[in-house]
Structures are given as C-alpha cells and as structure tokens.
Amino acid sequence: MQHRTKSDTRSESSRENELALTVRKVMRQYFKDLDGEKASGIYSMVVAAIEKPMLEVVMLQAEGKQTRAAELLGLNRNTLRKKLQQHGLD
C-alpha cells in the first residue's frame, strides 16, 4: 500500500483546482462563443470531451491493464470496458 504525504495531498488538490479552473474557463468561453445561440446537450458534450483523454492517460498509466485502470478510476471493470468501447479505445 502506498502512503501519501501531506505534499502529495496538496499536489493532488492543486491539480484538482487546476482542472476545475480550466473547465470553468473553457465553459465560459464556450458560452461567450455561442453569442446568444441556443445551447443544448452540454453535459454529455463536456463529459465526452473530458472522458476520452482521461481514459487514454489512465490506460497508459495502467500499462493497458483494465483491472488496474478501473482501480485507479474507482470504476467497475465492466463499466470501464463499456466506456473504452464507447470511445473507440478498446
């Protein structure tokens, strides 16, 4: 089992904050770019845009091992397999 130090926790927190800040920035720009046009399906658009690159990076980190990747993501392996298929990453 890997033990986390206080600096590891801070580092993870800053990455989470950086990710949240980036999403906020991009979403604000998205609405600005709409320039009054009607938007719909934003949730699925954002999830799909974030999910695929996240899965790619996690699968690399897990050296292609779906069981390990599922553990890293906190997902059931079957759920991970389904998501990999949905994104053409199987």
Side-chain angles (χ1 to χ4, degrees), residues 27-87:
M27 290 303 302
R28 286 187 190 112
Q29 187 62 48
Y30 173 79
F31 283 110
K32 198 180 286 185
D33 291 346
L34 282 177
D35 195 32
E37 292 290 320
K38 185 179 177 186
S40 65
I42 294 170
Y43 179 81
S44 59
M45 176 193 72
V46 171
V47 169
I50 292 171
E51 193 170 55
K52 184 175 182 177
M54 176 184 63
L55 292 171
E56 290 169 339
V57 170
V58 170
M59 287 302 295
L60 283 172
Q61 184 68 31
E63 299 175 340
K65 296 178 179 84
Q66 290 184 5
T67 301
R68 178 64 183 134
E71 289 172 357
L72 289 169
L73 291 165
L75 295 175
N76 176 289
R77 192 172 65 85
N78 289 330
T79 301
L80 173 60
R81 290 179 71 199
K82 180 181 172 185
K83 290 183 176 295
L84 291 171
Q85 289 173 343
Q86 287 172 342
H87 292 287

